[in-house]
Amino acid sequence: MAVVRHEKTRGELKRMAQTQPPETLVRLSDSKLTVANRAEDIRGREVLDKNGGNLGKVDDLMIDDVEHKVRFPQVESGGFLGLGETRILIPVDAITKIDDKVHINHTREHVARAPRYNPELVKDEAYLGSIYGHYGYPVFWEPGYAYPMYPFYL
């Protein structure tokens, strides 16, 4: 999923990403950016675990403000009329397929044990590291991190 970005060379973006800590994460809805191709916008789509169980819906996308790449879909589940809902961040690395739904390669039980979304900690390196660690992926700001071949639309 591409997000419209400012004109910078690929080398500049790579250097910035390797030197910028994760405090550059923002919710797409809070930015002036948009998804480059509206058909690729996964907000509002259901998220399914690896067994086909419904985990909730993509409520927003967390992007890094340097490379303008999606780093986490924010998934909302439960609740009624906005009350009692739970939000979690799932690394974009966990997405295995996107069709009319978003499929991830983890079970509902594994996702249920993940750190909960906390807007006050979203720029904290340890908090984000705990999310990546829970799902078994390297953090995006480490040198050598390779952005997943995302998205997989079928």
Side-chain angles (χ1 to χ4, degrees), residues 120-141:
E120 294 178 17
L121 295 177
V122 78
K123 297 178 182 185
D124 180 81
E125 188 173 319
Y127 170 69
L128 294 176
S130 72
I131 295 171
Y132 275 102
H134 176 77
Y135 289 99
Y137 301 109
V139 296
F140 72 87
W141 60 90

Side-chain angles (χ1 to χ4, degrees), residues 81-147:
L81 298 175
L83 300 173
E85 63 203 15
T86 301
R87 287 191 174 107
I88 55 169
L89 299 178
I90 299 175
V92 70
D93 313 65
I95 296 174
T96 56
K97 179 175 82 170
I98 297 173
D99 45 30
D100 60 330
K101 296 176 176 36
V102 177
H103 304 260
I104 67 165
N105 62 352
H106 295 276
T107 64
R108 172 189 302 276
E109 294 76 22
H110 187 81
V111 173
R113 292 188 306 269
R116 292 290 171 249
Y117 171 68
N118 183 336
E120 294 178 17
L121 295 177
V122 78
K123 297 178 182 185
D124 180 81
E125 188 173 319
Y127 170 69
L128 294 176
S130 72
I131 295 171
Y132 275 102
H134 176 77
Y135 289 99
Y137 301 109
V139 296
F140 72 87
W141 60 90
E142 292 281 322
Y145 171 81
Y147 194 71

Side-chain angles (χ1 to χ4, degrees), residues 3-69:
V3 177
V4 177
R5 61 181 179 202
H6 304 285
E7 296 299 317
K8 287 189 169 78
T9 68
R10 198 173 283 237
E12 287 175 311
L13 289 171
K14 188 173 182 179
R15 277 191 306 281
M16 288 172 69
Q18 290 178 348
T19 59
Q20 293 282 335
E23 69 258 6
T24 60
L25 271 183
V26 296
R27 289 170 33 125
L28 182 60
S29 63
D30 293 338
S31 76
K32 294 182 180 180
L33 300 173
T34 60
V35 177
N37 180 349
R38 291 181 67 128
E40 293 181 1
D41 192 346
I42 62 173
R43 289 176 291 179
R45 294 188 195 189
E46 289 182 31
V47 179
L48 303 180
D49 74 356
K50 72 184 210 173
N51 299 319
N54 188 320
L55 299 172
K57 288 190 176 189
V58 177
D59 180 45
D60 211 340
L61 302 171
M62 299 298 294
I63 60 170
D64 78 68
D65 202 22
V66 175
E67 290 188 73
H68 299 147
K69 289 185 178 179

